[in-house]
Amino acid sequence: MKKFATLLFSMMLTIPMMGQLIINEVLYDPSNNALDGDANGDGVYSQEDDSFIELINIGTTNFDASGYQLWDDTINGSLRFVVPQGTWVPPNGALVIFGGGTLVGNFGGCVIFKTDSASGWNPNNSGEVIVIKDNTGKTVLTFDSDALSNNPNESYTRFPDITGNFLQHGDTTSVLFSPGTRTDGTPFDTNYVVMSVSVQGAGGATTITTNGGTLQMEAMVMPTFAADTTVSWSVDDPMVATIDAAGLLTAAGNGVVTVTATANDGTGIADSAQITISNQGIGLDEEVANSLLVFPNPAQDVLNLEVEGQVNEVTIYSVEGRVVLQSEVMNNQVFVGELNAGVYILRTEVNGQSVETRFIKK
């Protein structure tokens, strides 16, 4: 009965897509054969409680579902549920709304609710169009439940999930529904992503005015519940300032440096702040500053230092100003074999004076 209905039924569906949400699975007629229809897992069959609708965020950013509405029909139906404020759905994540009952189980770690009305969701087996409206009351998604069989006793699901046409769930697996998971039981994504980064100096500071001074940079990452709220720091001119992995900016020369924090979660979201640096190099012995030589340059594994004075340790920075290596100096040599090919800045102290030079790692 159900096999031949799939293509025609998918053609009967009207599912406009607004924003980032799509309907992925609907159970409006749970099986009444023992507990075959117990979709909410509470050990009780209920036509109303076990009905559910599954929505998927197909976007690349978190979706704010606050205020979205579930209606049981476009013509004679009524409002059955309003998604609470502050409800977000992660990219490729699921939002499931059950008719009621006790929700027992993990449901793939999805965002999950049940209606709080006395009559539950109460969708009909045929002759109605299920509706999702946004927080302004505008219809954004619809699902025509007038299936050819009228009583499917299982859910209708996209197959493959998200991208496929709708067919009866039993056509894809041995189970009759999969709320919060793909048809094969694997979960949808549950990781929220970064949506904004805001950078500033501690206390709103925008300057460093002391010789060799530092400024702790701060990055506010939103939302705070993103799976990875860490950032990578960089500067556009390491001759003016350098920055470590914790965001501590250290003055190196006079000028304006742009400090950037980039989210580490793969979104590439970043923000920058400009810091003005002055009063650097006071009392610098020019002869000492020019006394450091490194060879061979380009270097393969070992960098030799030629300097008049004692050098105990060096710090090596990328051209973005990130510390990539701190090393003790033995016999005026530094091992750089672990560095990737590129241009680097070596900084050290010679006779109490800070000096630096560039070298190439091949």
Side-chain angles (χ1 to χ4, degrees):
M1 174 175 64
K2 62 189 177 184
K3 300 295 183 180
F4 71 86
T6 300
L7 178 59
L8 182 56
F9 178 67
S10 66
M11 294 172 62
M12 294 171 62
L13 295 172
T14 304
I15 308 177
M17 185 174 66
M18 302 292 290
Q20 299 177 195
L21 286 185
I22 64 165
I23 297 173
N24 190 67
E25 184 177 355
V26 181
L27 176 61
Y28 59 84
D29 178 40
S31 172
N32 59 2
N33 180 28
L35 292 180
D36 287 349
D38 182 24
N40 64 13
D42 62 1
V44 178
Y45 162 76
S46 170
Q47 175 74 26
E48 289 77 26
D49 291 352
D50 289 311
S51 297
F52 70 83
I53 187 167
E54 177 186 79
L55 307 172
I56 303 295
N57 171 13
I58 61 171
T60 59
T61 61
N62 309 318
F63 184 83
D64 185 3
S66 303
Y68 270 58
Q69 306 168 11
L70 171 63
W71 292 68
D72 62 356
D73 194 18
T74 53
I75 300 175
N76 299 315
S78 58
L79 176 63
R80 295 298 183 175
F81 183 73
V82 178
V83 178
Q85 290 297 309
T87 299
W88 292 84
V89 185
N92 290 313
L95 166 62
V96 175
I97 303 171
F98 274 96
T102 301
L103 307 183
V104 179
N106 177 259
F107 300 101
C110 73
V111 180
I112 190 166
F113 296 103
K114 63 178 181 179
T115 65
D116 50 12
S117 62
S119 59
W121 179 14
N122 195 29
N124 293 323
N125 290 1
S126 63
E128 73 176 22
V129 178
I130 299 165
V131 180
I132 299 293
K133 298 183 180 182
D134 66 14
N135 56 7
T136 69
K138 178 182 179 181
T139 296
V140 292
L141 296 168
T142 59
F143 185 97
D144 188 347
S145 65
D146 194 11
L148 294 181
S149 63
N150 288 332
N151 295 283
N153 293 320
E154 59 184 299
S155 74
Y156 275 92
T157 183
R158 290 183 184 270
F159 188 79
D161 286 282
I162 301 176
T163 60
N165 291 325
F166 281 89
L167 46 73
Q168 289 180 228
H169 204 292
D171 290 353
T172 68
T173 67
S174 60
V175 297
L176 302 180
F177 41 73
S178 55
T181 69
R182 300 175 186 273
T183 53
D184 62 3
T186 58
F188 292 99
D189 292 350
T190 57
N191 288 336
Y192 293 92
V193 298
V194 171
M195 298 184 72
S196 69
V197 176
S198 179
V199 172
Q200 69 169 16
T206 59
T207 62
I208 298 176
T209 58
T210 57
N211 188 32
T214 61
L215 174 61
Q216 181 62 55
M217 301 300 297
E218 300 173 341
M220 178 180 291
V221 178
M222 297 297 290
T224 57
F225 52 81
D228 185 354
T229 57
T230 64
V231 298
S232 292
W233 292 97
S234 62
V235 295
D236 66 337
D237 190 348
M239 303 301 287
V240 175
T242 58
I243 195 165
D244 67 12
L248 184 65
L249 187 70
T250 301
N254 296 313
V256 178
V257 65
T258 299
V259 181
T260 301
T262 304
N264 287 328
D265 69 345
T267 59
I269 293 176
D271 187 45
S272 300
Q274 289 189 327
I275 305 298
T276 301
I277 299 176
S278 59
N279 300 323
Q280 304 304 305
I282 298 175
L284 180 64
D285 187 332
E286 192 170 317
E287 182 177 344
V288 172
N290 294 326
S291 66
L292 177 63
L293 298 176
V294 296
F295 65 93
N297 192 2
Q300 181 68 48
D301 295 312
V302 176
L303 194 64
N304 297 288
L305 308 183
E306 185 176 297
V307 63
E308 294 181 4
Q310 182 67 33
V311 176
N312 297 317
E313 186 180 69
V314 298
T315 302
I316 297 176
Y317 301 85
S318 68
V319 292
E320 294 81 23
R322 292 191 295 269
V323 175
V324 295
L325 179 66
Q326 287 183 309
S327 175
E328 293 184 353
V329 177
M330 301 294 292
N331 299 321
N332 285 344
Q333 290 185 327
V334 180
F335 181 72
V336 295
E338 65 186 73
L339 298 178
N340 295 325
V343 178
Y344 294 91
I345 299 169
L346 181 145
R347 178 176 293 171
T348 187
E349 284 194 359
V350 179
N351 299 330
Q353 297 282 352
S354 177
V355 295
E356 62 185 32
T357 188
R358 293 183 181 236
F359 71 93
I360 299 172
K361 168 66 170 61
K362 63 179 181 180

